[in-house]
Amino acid sequence: MNQCVMKDMDTIIQEIVKFRDERDWEQFHNSKDLALALSIEASELLELFLWKDNEDFNLDKLKDELADVFMYALLLANKHDLDIKKIVLEKIKKNADKYPVDKAKGSATKYNEL
Amino acid sequence: MNQCVMKDMDTIIQEIVKFRDERDWEQFHNSKDLALALSIEASELLELFLWKDNEDFNLDKLKDELADVFMYALLLANKHDLDIKKIVLEKIKKNADKYPVDKAKGSATKYNEL
Amino acid sequence: MNQCVMKDMDTIIQEIVKFRDERDWEQFHNSKDLALALSIEASELLELFLWKDNEDFNLDKLKDELADVFMYALLLANKHDLDIKKIVLEKIKKNADKYPVDKAKGSATKYNEL
Amino acid sequence: MNQCVMKDMDTIIQEIVKFRDERDWEQFHNSKDLALALSIEASELLELFLWKDNEDFNLDKLKDELADVFMYALLLANKHDLDIKKIVLEKIKKNADKYPVDKAKGSATKYNEL
């Protein structure tokens, strides 16, 4: 069988939406503020690394902040009925054009300077 | 049957990792820079709403930017073997304590001011 | 004489406001969008360091991005008649309480963990 | 007389540097982490507007967060001996080319879509 009865993504979204609706918070969740919240959470995740070496971070705090990032990203995707697998696979295709293997391999250079 | 042969999340991560390894980019993907990249993508998503009304945005661009956010979030989770469903459900529990329904319902107030 | 006829800060603000008004852009400059723009510029500045070592950046680009950050910070301050010297000196005082020298010297620890 | 004995910008920088050196914090202030700190403060400023209307914010908190933004922006400028007036006026000139008055007047459109 290759059909999932319960997909991971849907389970998570279900719980996030339940949490939101128990508190009647959908009224605040316009797209601009969801994007704003997502950006703020990404910044809180980044703060775990401030003044620190590249792998010097608190794992429990990383889990918490990364979870917050996923929550707002999933709320925004859910609001506009976006299929996450679909949009990510499509963006990977676009990125493949911007960063052809022969030009980009082993290089961190941005595409407009390749 | 409740076991998935192919989970959505794993499929996506597989493709992201394949894209990364084709270009030999793992060498750049330390945790601090992954968090940095995630923050930058969240900011590019936010830019779609700059000077605009709450629902006035380009849907195609939203899909692209949101996809980029998911890619870096998934790379960071994957790097530390984090189970996304697990960390999100755990954070929802913590948020439930910070925002009890009877206090938080219908209110956008931050938890430290409830 | 210790009075300035022309203060640096005022000169800069004057030019920024002139640029804005020539283009009739004040209509877009509500406080939320100014804060949004400032955050986006700070992120573009940060992008100069993505995947790079701590001092490996392009100086000309740093000047440009830092200038953009100052522009929006000054527009926001100007919009609410804030005296920059006053608010910075006051915040330094508050920070001195959060980070007393005897506790904070030589340490990058955040104040709530000192 | 048009020469300033004491410039606003220099006074502020002097106080910020004094605060930093009392705590022996310069060791942490590499350019990448200063840019990171600046981005985090800009995000904290942005958080004052989350879920809120465009002018619905706490002025005292705005002063604090904006002060933090200026502090890191000035530290970064000071680290590389940048003349703030010079870099801002130069960027205004570049922006004038990207946004000619006849094309950009009254429009919030980004320059690459003008």
Side-chain angles (χ1 to χ4, degrees):
Chain A
M1 189 198 211
N2 63 8
Q3 181 102 35
C4 291
V5 174
M6 184 79 111
K7 293 182 189 171
D8 266 359
M9 211 84 78
D10 291 337
T11 319
I12 303 171
I13 292 172
Q14 231 178 49
E15 288 299 312
I16 295 170
V17 162
K18 176 167 163 271
F19 179 88
R20 176 197 71 189
D21 293 343
E22 277 174 341
R23 288 153 188 75
D24 190 24
W25 279 354
E26 199 182 4
Q27 53 180 311
F28 305 113
H29 288 184
N30 61 76
S31 302
K32 186 167 177 170
D33 277 315
L34 285 176
L36 223 137
L38 174 53
S39 180
I40 288 163
E41 296 300 340
S43 187
E44 291 186 11
L45 170 62
L46 190 49
E47 200 182 359
L48 301 179
F49 297 89
L50 182 60
W51 317 126
K52 297 197 148 76
D53 291 338
N54 291 344
E55 299 301 333
D56 178 14
F57 64 91
N58 179 306
L59 185 63
D60 285 332
K61 291 183 181 179
L62 186 95
K63 289 176 182 178
D64 277 355
E65 300 301 345
L66 197 51
D68 283 334
V69 167
F70 273 110
M71 273 190 276
Y72 283 113
L74 289 167
L75 273 170
L76 195 48
N78 181 251
K79 185 177 173 72
H80 299 288
D81 286 308
L82 303 180
D83 178 336
I84 294 156
K85 184 165 83 175
K86 189 164 179 271
I87 66 170
V88 173
L89 296 186
E90 270 173 20
K91 192 50 162 62
I92 288 177
K93 270 207 208 109
K94 289 189 184 185
N95 287 352
D97 293 335
K98 288 210 294 192
Y99 295 97
V101 175
D102 58 326
K103 286 216 170 86
K105 189 165 183 173
S107 162
T109 308
K110 197 168 178 181
Y111 67 90
N112 50 2
E113 289 160 37
L114 269 179
Chain B
M1 189 199 210
N2 62 9
Q3 181 102 35
C4 292
V5 173
M6 184 79 112
K7 293 180 188 172
D8 263 0
M9 210 83 78
D10 291 339
T11 320
I12 303 173
I13 291 172
Q14 232 177 50
E15 288 299 313
I16 295 169
V17 163
K18 177 167 163 272
F19 179 87
R20 176 198 72 191
D21 292 343
E22 278 175 341
R23 288 153 185 78
D24 191 25
W25 278 354
E26 198 182 6
Q27 53 181 309
F28 306 113
H29 288 184
N30 61 76
S31 301
K32 185 166 178 170
D33 278 314
L34 284 177
L36 224 137
L38 174 53
S39 180
I40 288 163
E41 297 298 340
S43 189
E44 290 186 11
L45 170 62
L46 190 49
E47 200 182 359
L48 301 180
F49 297 89
L50 182 59
W51 317 126
K52 297 198 148 77
D53 291 337
N54 291 345
E55 300 299 333
D56 178 15
F57 64 91
N58 179 306
L59 185 62
D60 285 332
K61 291 183 181 180
L62 187 94
K63 290 177 182 178
D64 278 353
E65 302 300 344
L66 197 50
D68 283 334
V69 168
F70 274 109
M71 272 191 277
Y72 283 113
L74 289 167
L75 274 169
L76 194 48
N78 181 250
K79 184 176 175 72
H80 300 286
D81 286 307
L82 303 179
D83 179 334
I84 294 156
K85 184 165 84 176
K86 189 163 179 272
I87 65 170
V88 172
L89 295 186
E90 270 173 21
K91 192 50 161 62
I92 288 177
K93 270 207 208 109
K94 288 189 184 183
N95 286 352
D97 293 334
K98 289 210 294 191
Y99 294 97
V101 177
D102 59 323
K103 285 217 171 85
K105 189 165 184 175
S107 162
T109 307
K110 198 167 177 180
Y111 66 92
N112 51 1
E113 289 161 37
L114 270 181
Chain C
M1 189 199 212
N2 62 9
Q3 181 102 35
C4 292
V5 173
M6 184 78 111
K7 294 180 188 173
D8 264 1
M9 210 83 78
D10 291 337
T11 320
I12 303 172
I13 291 173
Q14 231 178 48
E15 289 299 313
I16 295 169
V17 163
K18 176 167 162 274
F19 179 87
R20 175 198 72 191
D21 292 341
E22 277 174 344
R23 288 152 187 76
D24 190 25
W25 278 354
E26 199 182 4
Q27 52 180 311
F28 306 113
H29 289 182
N30 60 76
S31 300
K32 186 167 179 170
D33 277 314
L34 284 176
L36 223 137
L38 174 54
S39 180
I40 288 163
E41 297 300 339
S43 188
E44 291 187 9
L45 171 62
L46 190 49
E47 201 182 359
L48 301 180
F49 297 88
L50 183 59
W51 317 126
K52 297 198 147 78
D53 291 337
N54 291 344
E55 299 302 333
D56 177 15
F57 64 91
N58 179 307
L59 185 61
D60 285 333
K61 291 185 182 179
L62 185 94
K63 289 177 182 178
D64 278 354
E65 300 301 346
L66 198 50
D68 283 334
V69 167
F70 274 109
M71 272 191 278
Y72 283 113
L74 289 166
L75 274 170
L76 194 48
N78 181 250
K79 184 176 174 72
H80 299 287
D81 285 310
L82 304 179
D83 179 333
I84 294 156
K85 183 165 86 176
K86 189 164 179 272
I87 65 170
V88 173
L89 296 185
E90 271 173 20
K91 192 48 163 62
I92 288 176
K93 270 207 210 108
K94 289 189 184 184
N95 286 352
D97 293 333
K98 290 210 293 193
Y99 295 97
V101 176
D102 59 325
K103 287 216 170 86
K105 189 164 183 174
S107 162
T109 307
K110 198 168 179 181
Y111 67 90
N112 51 2
E113 288 160 37
L114 271 179
Chain D
M1 188 201 210
N2 63 8
Q3 181 104 36
C4 293
V5 173
M6 183 78 113
K7 294 181 190 174
D8 264 0
M9 211 83 75
D10 292 338
T11 318
I12 303 172
I13 291 172
Q14 231 177 48
E15 289 299 311
I16 295 170
V17 162
K18 177 167 162 272
F19 179 87
R20 176 197 71 191
D21 293 342
E22 277 173 342
R23 289 153 186 76
D24 190 26
W25 278 354
E26 198 182 8
Q27 53 179 311
F28 306 113
H29 288 184
N30 61 75
S31 301
K32 186 166 177 171
D33 277 315
L34 284 176
L36 222 138
L38 173 53
S39 179
I40 287 163
E41 296 299 340
S43 187
E44 291 187 9
L45 170 61
L46 189 50
E47 201 183 358
L48 301 179
F49 297 89
L50 182 60
W51 317 127
K52 295 198 149 78
D53 290 338
N54 291 345
E55 299 302 333
D56 177 15
F57 63 91
N58 179 306
L59 184 63
D60 285 332
K61 291 184 181 180
L62 186 94
K63 289 177 182 177
D64 277 355
E65 302 299 347
L66 197 50
D68 283 335
V69 167
F70 274 108
M71 272 191 277
Y72 284 113
L74 289 166
L75 273 170
L76 195 49
N78 180 251
K79 185 177 174 72
H80 299 287
D81 285 309
L82 303 180
D83 179 334
I84 294 157
K85 183 165 83 175
K86 189 163 180 273
I87 65 169
V88 173
L89 296 186
E90 271 173 19
K91 193 50 163 60
I92 288 176
K93 269 205 207 110
K94 290 190 183 184
N95 286 352
D97 293 334
K98 290 212 290 192
Y99 295 97
V101 176
D102 59 324
K103 288 216 168 85
K105 189 164 183 174
S107 162
T109 308
K110 197 169 179 180
Y111 66 92
N112 52 1
E113 288 161 37
L114 269 180

